[in-house]
């Protein structure tokens, strides 16, 4: 399965107020393996950046003056995400901005060209209800080094998100199945290829002698303490046939 881990930075928080994308990045993964392909662009938004947004990502209008407009990179971006599953942290935010940019250019909306969207913020809230689930908190929780993340940046955040996603979705089955694909363990590959081991008949050891007597004494104690309400003594005997 082909996945793109995607992030954007913007001039503000609301595309309906005319705010624009100023940075977009995507990192490609296929079958839970980084392919080395990525897309990253700074974008001239053709408007001022809000002071609050600049404090988050540190990108200035002066830095973006000579960068391409979104119209210059839109088709490349759409081809990069085409038919891939997008994995985004707080997907509604990024998809809202992407769709607003595509609409300005009369291009298809994001979900029309990609193969679905996974929101890792929603996933994290389901896995860790009541806890902080921003990207920094998830990196700390899953022991992913983000010491170099002093400001938000689309490419770095997309790479960190991919690592977080792998940690959040790595179950016991994937721990076994992932490693042979990397070619690191021929012995483990042979183990995975083996047919399931056939189980023998279930061995049943029936209580007798001292075990039965000890059980009887426990039930009598329960019967006495509960003033005759021991359910085990009230249940009818069940005949068990010998197999």
């Amino acid at each position: 399965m082909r996945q793109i881990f995607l992030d954007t930075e913007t001039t503000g928080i609301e595309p309906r107020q005319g705010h624009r994308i100023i940075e977009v990045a995507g990192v490609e993964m296929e079958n839970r393996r980084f392919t080395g392909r990525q897309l990253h662009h700074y974008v001239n938004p053709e408007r001022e950046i809000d002071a609050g947004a600049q404090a988050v990502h540190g990108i200035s209008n002066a830095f973006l003056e000579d960068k391409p407009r979104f119209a210059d990179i839109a088709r490349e971006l759409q081809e990069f995400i085409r038919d891939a599953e997008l994995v985004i942290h707080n997907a509604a935010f990024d998809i809202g901005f992407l769709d607003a940019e595509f609409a300005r250019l009369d291009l298809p909306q994001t979900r029309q060209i990609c193969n679905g969207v996974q929101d890792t913020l929603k996933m994290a809230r389901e896995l860790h209800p009541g806890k902080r689930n921003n990207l920094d908190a998830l990196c700390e929780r899953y022991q992913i080094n983000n010491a170099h993340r002093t400001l938000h940046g689309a490419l770095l955040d997309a790479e960190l998100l991919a690592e977080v996603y792998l940690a959040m979705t790595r179950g016991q089955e994937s721990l076994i199945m992932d490693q042979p694909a990397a070619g690191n363990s021929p012995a483990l590959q042979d183990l995975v290829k083996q047919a399931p081991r056939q189980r023998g008949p279930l061995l049943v050891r029936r209580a007798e002698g001292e075990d039965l007597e000890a059980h009887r004494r426990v039930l009598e104690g329960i019967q006495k303490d509960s003033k005759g309400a021991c359910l085990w003594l009230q249940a009818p005997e069940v005949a068990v046939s010998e197999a």
Side-chain angles (χ1 to χ4, degrees), residues 8-11 15 18-24 43-47 69-71 73-74 77-78 94-110:
T8 65
E9 300 298 339
T10 64
T11 62
H19 284 291
R20 306 287 301 273
I21 289 175
I22 60 172
E23 186 184 10
V24 58
V43 179
N44 185 333
E46 304 176 273
R47 60 154 292 158
R69 274 56 174 175
F70 192 87
I73 61 101
L77 173 59
Q78 287 208 335
D94 299 85
I95 296 295
F97 270 94
L98 287 171
D99 285 347
E101 297 284 2
F102 292 146
R104 288 187 180 93
L105 303 170
D106 293 322
L107 291 174
Q109 297 286 275
T110 308

mmCIF file of all heavy atoms in Angstrom, residues 8-11 15 18-24 43-47 69-71 73-74 77-78 94-110:
data_model
loop_
_atom_site.group_PDB
_atom_site.id
_atom_site.type_symbol
_atom_site.label_atom_id
_atom_site.label_comp_id
_atom_site.label_asym_id
_atom_site.label_seq_id
_atom_site.Cartn_x
_atom_site.Cartn_y
_atom_site.Cartn_z
ATOM 1 N N THR A 8 1.297 20.736 6.121
ATOM 2 C CA THR A 8 1.356 22.076 5.541
ATOM 3 C C THR A 8 1.631 23.097 6.642
ATOM 4 O O THR A 8 1.350 22.852 7.809
ATOM 5 C CB THR A 8 0.032 22.457 4.852
ATOM 6 O OG1 THR A 8 -1.016 22.540 5.832
ATOM 7 C CG2 THR A 8 -0.356 21.451 3.780
ATOM 8 N N GLU A 9 2.162 24.234 6.247
ATOM 9 C CA GLU A 9 2.208 25.423 7.084
ATOM 10 C C GLU A 9 1.460 26.517 6.340
ATOM 11 O O GLU A 9 1.434 26.532 5.101
ATOM 12 C CB GLU A 9 3.645 25.853 7.388
ATOM 13 C CG GLU A 9 4.483 24.824 8.112
ATOM 14 C CD GLU A 9 3.969 24.451 9.496
ATOM 15 O OE1 GLU A 9 3.194 25.256 10.072
ATOM 16 O OE2 GLU A 9 4.332 23.382 9.994
ATOM 17 N N THR A 10 0.862 27.449 7.080
ATOM 18 C CA THR A 10 -0.062 28.402 6.473
ATOM 19 C C THR A 10 0.128 29.813 7.039
ATOM 20 O O THR A 10 0.819 30.008 8.040
ATOM 21 C CB THR A 10 -1.518 27.957 6.720
ATOM 22 O OG1 THR A 10 -1.787 27.986 8.130
ATOM 23 C CG2 THR A 10 -1.760 26.544 6.188
ATOM 24 N N THR A 11 -0.561 30.764 6.406
ATOM 25 C CA THR A 11 -0.496 32.154 6.875
ATOM 26 C C THR A 11 -1.384 32.397 8.085
ATOM 27 O O THR A 11 -1.266 33.437 8.750
ATOM 28 C CB THR A 11 -0.929 33.124 5.762
ATOM 29 O OG1 THR A 11 -2.307 32.855 5.417
ATOM 30 C CG2 THR A 11 -0.054 32.979 4.530
ATOM 31 N N PRO A 15 -8.895 29.032 6.103
ATOM 32 C CA PRO A 15 -8.848 29.302 4.653
ATOM 33 C C PRO A 15 -10.029 30.137 4.170
ATOM 34 O O PRO A 15 -9.901 30.856 3.174
ATOM 35 C CB PRO A 15 -8.854 27.900 4.042
ATOM 36 C CG PRO A 15 -9.398 26.997 5.088
ATOM 37 C CD PRO A 15 -8.985 27.600 6.394
ATOM 38 N N GLY A 18 -9.306 33.683 3.682
ATOM 39 C CA GLY A 18 -8.285 34.014 2.687
ATOM 40 C C GLY A 18 -6.885 33.598 3.045
ATOM 41 O O GLY A 18 -5.927 33.963 2.340
ATOM 42 N N HIS A 19 -6.716 32.854 4.130
ATOM 43 C CA HIS A 19 -5.373 32.401 4.484
ATOM 44 C C HIS A 19 -4.910 31.328 3.498
ATOM 45 O O HIS A 19 -5.719 30.589 2.937
ATOM 46 C CB HIS A 19 -5.342 31.893 5.923
ATOM 47 C CG HIS A 19 -5.357 33.007 6.924
ATOM 48 N ND1 HIS A 19 -4.292 33.858 7.081
ATOM 49 C CD2 HIS A 19 -6.318 33.426 7.803
ATOM 50 C CE1 HIS A 19 -4.568 34.754 8.011
ATOM 51 N NE2 HIS A 19 -5.798 34.523 8.460
ATOM 52 N N ARG A 20 -3.598 31.267 3.318
ATOM 53 C CA ARG A 20 -3.025 30.446 2.249
ATOM 54 C C ARG A 20 -1.940 29.506 2.782
ATOM 55 O O ARG A 20 -1.385 29.708 3.864
ATOM 56 C CB ARG A 20 -2.391 31.358 1.182
ATOM 57 C CG ARG A 20 -3.307 32.435 0.593
ATOM 58 C CD ARG A 20 -4.337 31.863 -0.357
ATOM 59 N NE ARG A 20 -3.731 31.151 -1.472
ATOM 60 C CZ ARG A 20 -3.337 31.729 -2.617
ATOM 61 N NH1 ARG A 20 -3.448 33.048 -2.776
ATOM 62 N NH2 ARG A 20 -2.824 30.995 -3.602
ATOM 63 N N ILE A 21 -1.612 28.520 1.971
ATOM 64 C CA ILE A 21 -0.507 27.603 2.266
ATOM 65 C C ILE A 21 0.815 28.294 1.936
ATOM 66 O O ILE A 21 0.955 28.927 0.887
ATOM 67 C CB ILE A 21 -0.655 26.306 1.457
ATOM 68 C CG1 ILE A 21 -1.821 25.465 1.999
ATOM 69 C CG2 ILE A 21 0.648 25.494 1.474
ATOM 70 C CD1 ILE A 21 -2.119 24.216 1.193
ATOM 71 N N ILE A 22 1.796 28.161 2.833
ATOM 72 C CA ILE A 22 3.129 28.712 2.572
ATOM 73 C C ILE A 22 4.206 27.620 2.513
ATOM 74 O O ILE A 22 5.332 27.888 2.084
ATOM 75 C CB ILE A 22 3.529 29.764 3.627
ATOM 76 C CG1 ILE A 22 3.554 29.144 5.030
ATOM 77 C CG2 ILE A 22 2.593 30.962 3.570
ATOM 78 C CD1 ILE A 22 4.118 30.074 6.090
ATOM 79 N N GLU A 23 3.864 26.420 2.955
ATOM 80 C CA GLU A 23 4.800 25.290 2.871
ATOM 81 C C GLU A 23 3.981 24.015 2.812
ATOM 82 O O GLU A 23 2.991 23.853 3.524
ATOM 83 C CB GLU A 23 5.738 25.265 4.082
ATOM 84 C CG GLU A 23 6.823 24.197 3.983
ATOM 85 C CD GLU A 23 7.695 24.089 5.229
ATOM 86 O OE1 GLU A 23 7.338 24.711 6.255
ATOM 87 O OE2 GLU A 23 8.706 23.379 5.183
ATOM 88 N N VAL A 24 4.403 23.086 1.962
ATOM 89 C CA VAL A 24 3.742 21.791 1.868
ATOM 90 C C VAL A 24 4.809 20.725 1.659
ATOM 91 O O VAL A 24 5.790 20.945 0.942
ATOM 92 C CB VAL A 24 2.705 21.754 0.715
ATOM 93 C CG1 VAL A 24 3.346 22.063 -0.630
ATOM 94 C CG2 VAL A 24 1.970 20.412 0.684
ATOM 95 N N VAL A 43 6.031 28.201 -0.499
ATOM 96 C CA VAL A 43 5.093 28.816 -1.435
ATOM 97 C C VAL A 43 4.882 30.276 -1.075
ATOM 98 O O VAL A 43 4.660 30.610 0.100
ATOM 99 C CB VAL A 43 3.730 28.068 -1.407
ATOM 100 C CG1 VAL A 43 2.746 28.731 -2.363
ATOM 101 C CG2 VAL A 43 3.913 26.602 -1.753
ATOM 102 N N ASN A 44 4.957 31.141 -2.074
ATOM 103 C CA ASN A 44 4.626 32.546 -1.889
ATOM 104 C C ASN A 44 3.103 32.670 -1.794
ATOM 105 O O ASN A 44 2.405 32.392 -2.760
ATOM 106 C CB ASN A 44 5.149 33.373 -3.066
ATOM 107 C CG ASN A 44 4.945 34.861 -2.869
ATOM 108 O OD1 ASN A 44 4.030 35.307 -2.170
ATOM 109 N ND2 ASN A 44 5.804 35.656 -3.496
ATOM 110 N N PRO A 45 2.563 33.093 -0.639
ATOM 111 C CA PRO A 45 1.108 33.102 -0.468
ATOM 112 C C PRO A 45 0.411 34.320 -1.059
ATOM 113 O O PRO A 45 -0.817 34.390 -1.072
ATOM 114 C CB PRO A 45 0.950 33.090 1.049
ATOM 115 C CG PRO A 45 2.136 33.864 1.542
ATOM 116 C CD PRO A 45 3.263 33.514 0.593
ATOM 117 N N GLU A 46 1.203 35.293 -1.513
ATOM 118 C CA GLU A 46 0.632 36.521 -2.095
ATOM 119 C C GLU A 46 -0.255 37.266 -1.098
ATOM 120 O O GLU A 46 -1.221 37.918 -1.469
ATOM 121 C CB GLU A 46 -0.151 36.203 -3.369
ATOM 122 C CG GLU A 46 0.691 35.470 -4.404
ATOM 123 C CD GLU A 46 -0.101 35.058 -5.626
ATOM 124 O OE1 GLU A 46 -0.695 33.963 -5.599
ATOM 125 O OE2 GLU A 46 -0.120 35.838 -6.604
ATOM 126 N N ARG A 47 0.086 37.167 0.173
ATOM 127 C CA ARG A 47 -0.589 37.907 1.238
ATOM 128 C C ARG A 47 0.304 37.870 2.478
ATOM 129 O O ARG A 47 1.271 37.102 2.542
ATOM 130 C CB ARG A 47 -1.975 37.331 1.552
ATOM 131 C CG ARG A 47 -1.981 35.873 2.027
ATOM 132 C CD ARG A 47 -3.194 35.588 2.898
ATOM 133 N NE ARG A 47 -3.108 36.306 4.178
ATOM 134 C CZ ARG A 47 -4.156 36.587 4.946
ATOM 135 N NH1 ARG A 47 -5.372 36.240 4.564
ATOM 136 N NH2 ARG A 47 -3.993 37.219 6.107
ATOM 137 N N ARG A 69 4.468 30.373 -6.645
ATOM 138 C CA ARG A 69 3.082 30.450 -6.197
ATOM 139 C C ARG A 69 2.509 29.036 -6.147
ATOM 140 O O ARG A 69 3.060 28.107 -6.718
ATOM 141 C CB ARG A 69 2.248 31.290 -7.160
ATOM 142 C CG ARG A 69 2.237 32.796 -6.933
ATOM 143 C CD ARG A 69 3.581 33.408 -6.934
ATOM 144 N NE ARG A 69 3.491 34.888 -6.851
ATOM 145 C CZ ARG A 69 4.522 35.668 -6.739
ATOM 146 N NH1 ARG A 69 5.751 35.164 -6.676
ATOM 147 N NH2 ARG A 69 4.371 36.980 -6.675
ATOM 148 N N PHE A 70 1.374 28.904 -5.424
ATOM 149 C CA PHE A 70 0.776 27.571 -5.341
ATOM 150 C C PHE A 70 0.398 27.057 -6.724
ATOM 151 O O PHE A 70 0.504 25.861 -7.002
ATOM 152 C CB PHE A 70 -0.456 27.579 -4.430
ATOM 153 C CG PHE A 70 -0.935 26.204 -4.072
ATOM 154 C CD1 PHE A 70 -0.417 25.530 -2.975
ATOM 155 C CD2 PHE A 70 -1.877 25.541 -4.851
ATOM 156 C CE1 PHE A 70 -0.826 24.246 -2.648
ATOM 157 C CE2 PHE A 70 -2.301 24.254 -4.540
ATOM 158 C CZ PHE A 70 -1.771 23.609 -3.433
ATOM 159 N N ALA A 71 -0.026 27.947 -7.598
ATOM 160 C CA ALA A 71 -0.388 27.538 -8.954
ATOM 161 C C ALA A 71 0.775 26.861 -9.673
ATOM 162 O O ALA A 71 0.565 26.006 -10.548
ATOM 163 C CB ALA A 71 -0.870 28.748 -9.748
ATOM 164 N N ILE A 73 3.012 24.859 -8.344
ATOM 165 C CA ILE A 73 3.362 23.529 -7.816
ATOM 166 C C ILE A 73 2.128 22.626 -7.651
ATOM 167 O O ILE A 73 2.259 21.474 -7.262
ATOM 168 C CB ILE A 73 4.109 23.653 -6.471
ATOM 169 C CG1 ILE A 73 3.253 24.338 -5.386
ATOM 170 C CG2 ILE A 73 5.400 24.431 -6.657
ATOM 171 C CD1 ILE A 73 2.612 23.421 -4.407
ATOM 172 N N ALA A 74 0.947 23.141 -7.961
ATOM 173 C CA ALA A 74 -0.291 22.410 -7.665
ATOM 174 C C ALA A 74 -0.382 21.076 -8.410
ATOM 175 O O ALA A 74 -0.731 20.046 -7.825
ATOM 176 C CB ALA A 74 -1.500 23.275 -7.999
ATOM 177 N N LEU A 77 2.007 18.510 -7.060
ATOM 178 C CA LEU A 77 1.499 17.998 -5.789
ATOM 179 C C LEU A 77 0.390 16.979 -6.020
ATOM 180 O O LEU A 77 0.374 15.910 -5.388
ATOM 181 C CB LEU A 77 0.991 19.157 -4.933
ATOM 182 C CG LEU A 77 0.262 18.796 -3.635
ATOM 183 C CD1 LEU A 77 1.163 17.975 -2.711
ATOM 184 C CD2 LEU A 77 -0.204 20.067 -2.922
ATOM 185 N N GLN A 78 -0.532 17.275 -6.919
ATOM 186 C CA GLN A 78 -1.632 16.340 -7.165
ATOM 187 C C GLN A 78 -1.123 15.017 -7.737
ATOM 188 O O GLN A 78 -1.631 13.957 -7.388
ATOM 189 C CB GLN A 78 -2.665 16.981 -8.086
ATOM 190 C CG GLN A 78 -3.495 18.051 -7.395
ATOM 191 C CD GLN A 78 -4.880 18.216 -7.998
ATOM 192 O OE1 GLN A 78 -5.114 17.904 -9.160
ATOM 193 N NE2 GLN A 78 -5.816 18.706 -7.188
ATOM 194 N N ASP A 94 -5.445 20.510 7.198
ATOM 195 C CA ASP A 94 -4.636 20.496 5.978
ATOM 196 C C ASP A 94 -5.492 20.286 4.729
ATOM 197 O O ASP A 94 -5.258 20.935 3.701
ATOM 198 C CB ASP A 94 -3.565 19.404 6.080
ATOM 199 C CG ASP A 94 -2.619 19.633 7.243
ATOM 200 O OD1 ASP A 94 -2.960 19.214 8.360
ATOM 201 O OD2 ASP A 94 -1.560 20.233 7.034
ATOM 202 N N ILE A 95 -6.464 19.364 4.815
ATOM 203 C CA ILE A 95 -7.337 19.117 3.666
ATOM 204 C C ILE A 95 -8.135 20.377 3.334
ATOM 205 O O ILE A 95 -8.340 20.711 2.162
ATOM 206 C CB ILE A 95 -8.289 17.944 3.935
ATOM 207 C CG1 ILE A 95 -7.498 16.637 4.111
ATOM 208 C CG2 ILE A 95 -9.309 17.790 2.810
ATOM 209 C CD1 ILE A 95 -6.763 16.177 2.885
ATOM 210 N N GLY A 96 -8.588 21.111 4.346
ATOM 211 C CA GLY A 96 -9.314 22.350 4.115
ATOM 212 C C GLY A 96 -8.490 23.355 3.329
ATOM 213 O O GLY A 96 -8.994 24.002 2.400
ATOM 214 N N PHE A 97 -7.213 23.494 3.689
ATOM 215 C CA PHE A 97 -6.350 24.436 2.976
ATOM 216 C C PHE A 97 -6.027 23.938 1.571
ATOM 217 O O PHE A 97 -6.031 24.724 0.606
ATOM 218 C CB PHE A 97 -5.065 24.680 3.767
ATOM 219 C CG PHE A 97 -5.176 25.818 4.736
ATOM 220 C CD1 PHE A 97 -5.532 25.610 6.055
ATOM 221 C CD2 PHE A 97 -4.943 27.118 4.316
ATOM 222 C CE1 PHE A 97 -5.652 26.663 6.944
ATOM 223 C CE2 PHE A 97 -5.056 28.189 5.196
ATOM 224 C CZ PHE A 97 -5.424 27.963 6.521
ATOM 225 N N LEU A 98 -5.739 22.645 1.435
ATOM 226 C CA LEU A 98 -5.444 22.107 0.102
ATOM 227 C C LEU A 98 -6.629 22.292 -0.833
ATOM 228 O O LEU A 98 -6.474 22.732 -1.986
ATOM 229 C CB LEU A 98 -5.075 20.630 0.208
ATOM 230 C CG LEU A 98 -3.707 20.305 0.809
ATOM 231 C CD1 LEU A 98 -3.580 18.814 1.062
ATOM 232 C CD2 LEU A 98 -2.577 20.789 -0.104
ATOM 233 N N ASP A 99 -7.822 21.965 -0.351
ATOM 234 C CA ASP A 99 -9.006 22.079 -1.200
ATOM 235 C C ASP A 99 -9.294 23.523 -1.580
ATOM 236 O O ASP A 99 -9.744 23.812 -2.697
ATOM 237 C CB ASP A 99 -10.217 21.452 -0.507
ATOM 238 C CG ASP A 99 -10.181 19.926 -0.530
ATOM 239 O OD1 ASP A 99 -9.360 19.372 -1.289
ATOM 240 O OD2 ASP A 99 -10.961 19.306 0.203
ATOM 241 N N ALA A 100 -9.042 24.463 -0.669
ATOM 242 C CA ALA A 100 -9.229 25.875 -0.991
ATOM 243 C C ALA A 100 -8.249 26.307 -2.082
ATOM 244 O O ALA A 100 -8.623 27.057 -3.007
ATOM 245 C CB ALA A 100 -9.039 26.724 0.263
ATOM 246 N N GLU A 101 -7.004 25.833 -1.999
ATOM 247 C CA GLU A 101 -6.023 26.168 -3.030
ATOM 248 C C GLU A 101 -6.388 25.533 -4.366
ATOM 249 O O GLU A 101 -6.305 26.180 -5.427
ATOM 250 C CB GLU A 101 -4.622 25.715 -2.591
ATOM 251 C CG GLU A 101 -4.084 26.395 -1.340
ATOM 252 C CD GLU A 101 -3.606 27.826 -1.607
ATOM 253 O OE1 GLU A 101 -3.736 28.311 -2.754
ATOM 254 O OE2 GLU A 101 -3.099 28.452 -0.653
ATOM 255 N N PHE A 102 -6.799 24.268 -4.355
ATOM 256 C CA PHE A 102 -7.174 23.604 -5.603
ATOM 257 C C PHE A 102 -8.405 24.255 -6.234
ATOM 258 O O PHE A 102 -8.504 24.366 -7.459
ATOM 259 C CB PHE A 102 -7.439 22.113 -5.347
ATOM 260 C CG PHE A 102 -6.210 21.319 -4.970
ATOM 261 C CD1 PHE A 102 -6.297 20.248 -4.078
ATOM 262 C CD2 PHE A 102 -4.966 21.632 -5.495
ATOM 263 C CE1 PHE A 102 -5.173 19.514 -3.731
ATOM 264 C CE2 PHE A 102 -3.832 20.899 -5.157
ATOM 265 C CZ PHE A 102 -3.933 19.843 -4.270
ATOM 266 N N ALA A 103 -9.347 24.673 -5.388
ATOM 267 C CA ALA A 103 -10.563 25.315 -5.898
ATOM 268 C C ALA A 103 -10.235 26.608 -6.640
ATOM 269 O O ALA A 103 -10.876 26.937 -7.650
ATOM 270 C CB ALA A 103 -11.538 25.580 -4.755
ATOM 271 N N ARG A 104 -9.260 27.353 -6.157
ATOM 272 C CA ARG A 104 -8.871 28.595 -6.832
ATOM 273 C C ARG A 104 -8.380 28.327 -8.253
ATOM 274 O O ARG A 104 -8.445 29.202 -9.124
ATOM 275 C CB ARG A 104 -7.753 29.306 -6.056
ATOM 276 C CG ARG A 104 -8.191 29.944 -4.753
ATOM 277 C CD ARG A 104 -7.042 30.758 -4.149
ATOM 278 N NE ARG A 104 -7.449 31.385 -2.898
ATOM 279 C CZ ARG A 104 -7.265 30.858 -1.699
ATOM 280 N NH1 ARG A 104 -6.644 29.668 -1.598
ATOM 281 N NH2 ARG A 104 -7.680 31.488 -0.622
ATOM 282 N N LEU A 105 -7.879 27.115 -8.467
ATOM 283 C CA LEU A 105 -7.300 26.766 -9.764
ATOM 284 C C LEU A 105 -8.209 25.852 -10.573
ATOM 285 O O LEU A 105 -7.805 25.345 -11.623
ATOM 286 C CB LEU A 105 -5.951 26.077 -9.542
ATOM 287 C CG LEU A 105 -4.914 26.874 -8.749
ATOM 288 C CD1 LEU A 105 -3.719 26.007 -8.386
ATOM 289 C CD2 LEU A 105 -4.470 28.106 -9.544
ATOM 290 N N ASP A 106 -9.438 25.643 -10.088
ATOM 291 C CA ASP A 106 -10.392 24.738 -10.754
ATOM 292 C C ASP A 106 -9.810 23.339 -10.945
ATOM 293 O O ASP A 106 -10.009 22.682 -11.977
ATOM 294 C CB ASP A 106 -10.828 25.306 -12.120
ATOM 295 C CG ASP A 106 -11.662 26.575 -11.968
ATOM 296 O OD1 ASP A 106 -12.474 26.635 -11.023
ATOM 297 O OD2 ASP A 106 -11.497 27.495 -12.792
ATOM 298 N N LEU A 107 -9.084 22.878 -9.926
ATOM 299 C CA LEU A 107 -8.520 21.527 -9.936
ATOM 300 C C LEU A 107 -9.355 20.613 -9.038
ATOM 301 O O LEU A 107 -10.056 21.088 -8.140
ATOM 302 C CB LEU A 107 -7.073 21.554 -9.441
ATOM 303 C CG LEU A 107 -6.058 22.243 -10.356
ATOM 304 C CD1 LEU A 107 -4.696 22.328 -9.675
ATOM 305 C CD2 LEU A 107 -5.949 21.510 -11.688
ATOM 306 N N PRO A 108 -9.278 19.284 -9.253
ATOM 307 C CA PRO A 108 -10.049 18.358 -8.413
ATOM 308 C C PRO A 108 -9.687 18.504 -6.944
ATOM 309 O O PRO A 108 -8.551 18.842 -6.585
ATOM 310 C CB PRO A 108 -9.646 16.979 -8.952
ATOM 311 C CG PRO A 108 -9.157 17.228 -10.330
ATOM 312 C CD PRO A 108 -8.523 18.584 -10.310
ATOM 313 N N GLN A 109 -10.663 18.238 -6.078
ATOM 314 C CA GLN A 109 -10.428 18.283 -4.638
ATOM 315 C C GLN A 109 -9.576 17.083 -4.207
ATOM 316 O O GLN A 109 -9.456 16.083 -4.910
ATOM 317 C CB GLN A 109 -11.762 18.282 -3.898
ATOM 318 C CG GLN A 109 -12.622 19.513 -4.191
ATOM 319 C CD GLN A 109 -12.089 20.767 -3.509
ATOM 320 O OE1 GLN A 109 -12.375 21.024 -2.354
ATOM 321 N NE2 GLN A 109 -11.290 21.555 -4.232
ATOM 322 N N THR A 110 -8.992 17.204 -3.032
ATOM 323 C CA THR A 110 -8.001 16.235 -2.561
ATOM 324 C C THR A 110 -8.544 14.804 -2.564
ATOM 325 O O THR A 110 -7.904 13.885 -3.085
ATOM 326 C CB THR A 110 -7.536 16.602 -1.140
ATOM 327 O OG1 THR A 110 -7.128 17.965 -1.111
ATOM 328 C CG2 THR A 110 -6.383 15.718 -0.708
#
